[in-house]
Amino acid sequence: MKFQLSQRFYFDAAHTLQRALETESSRRIHGHTYSAEITVIGTPDPQTGMVLDLGLVRIAIAKLRETLDHHLLDEVPGLGIPTLENLCLFILETVELPRDLIQSVRVWREGQGDGCLLLAHDAAGA
């Protein structure tokens, strides 16, 4: 049997964005509260009964969160253009968890009603 485990977290960050629509507000430094969720999938270890200890997931997220929370996303090394898509990919590539267990990464901004879901196994094959 396969099980999914998820851990959510949030971070507050600012960014700019060069785009064709909503140009004036996007080009100015502005901020959002981002929510994110990492989902792992797997078969529980017979010894522990766990797919992955959620304590380890929380530790990995806390370390990752330090690179994003209260930062200017334009300046985060390795992120690239601070889009929702690139945030998902950055989280997938940066979080210190077994990559083969990560099923998906989701990032959303509740205040704007928008979000992005990255299916990790599709990203690995891309």
Side-chain angles (χ1 to χ4, degrees):
M1 287 187 181
K2 296 262 184 181
F3 290 85
Q4 286 182 310
L5 296 173
S6 296
Q7 182 69 49
R8 289 185 182 177
F9 63 102
Y10 73 93
F11 57 96
D12 295 305
H15 72 113
T16 64
L17 196 59
Q18 302 298 318
R19 57 194 285 210
L21 301 172
E22 301 171 350
T23 57
E24 189 174 325
S25 61
S26 294
R27 288 183 180 154
R28 286 193 311 262
I29 295 174
H30 62 282
H32 303 282
T33 296
Y34 293 88
S35 296
E37 180 177 56
I38 297 173
T39 301
V40 297
I41 189 168
T43 304
D45 179 286
Q47 299 276 359
T48 65
M50 295 182 272
V51 172
L52 184 62
D53 189 321
L54 283 174
L56 295 173
V57 176
R58 284 190 283 275
I59 290 168
I61 286 173
K63 187 174 180 180
L64 166 70
R65 192 172 177 270
E66 287 179 18
T67 67
L68 299 171
D69 193 41
H70 287 87
H71 285 272
L72 180 60
L73 297 178
D74 303 58
E75 299 174 352
V76 172
L79 176 58
I81 300 168
T83 62
L84 292 173
E85 295 89 343
N86 283 340
L87 279 166
C88 283
L89 189 57
F90 179 80
I91 290 168
L92 175 67
E93 293 177 343
T94 307
V95 71
E96 295 178 3
L97 293 171
R99 181 81 176 259
D100 62 320
L101 293 181
I102 300 174
Q103 180 182 32
S104 63
V105 174
R106 186 167 69 112
V107 176
W108 69 98
R109 299 180 306 197
E110 194 69 37
Q112 283 72 33
D114 51 17
C116 181
L117 174 67
L118 171 65
L119 300 174
H121 296 288
D122 288 348

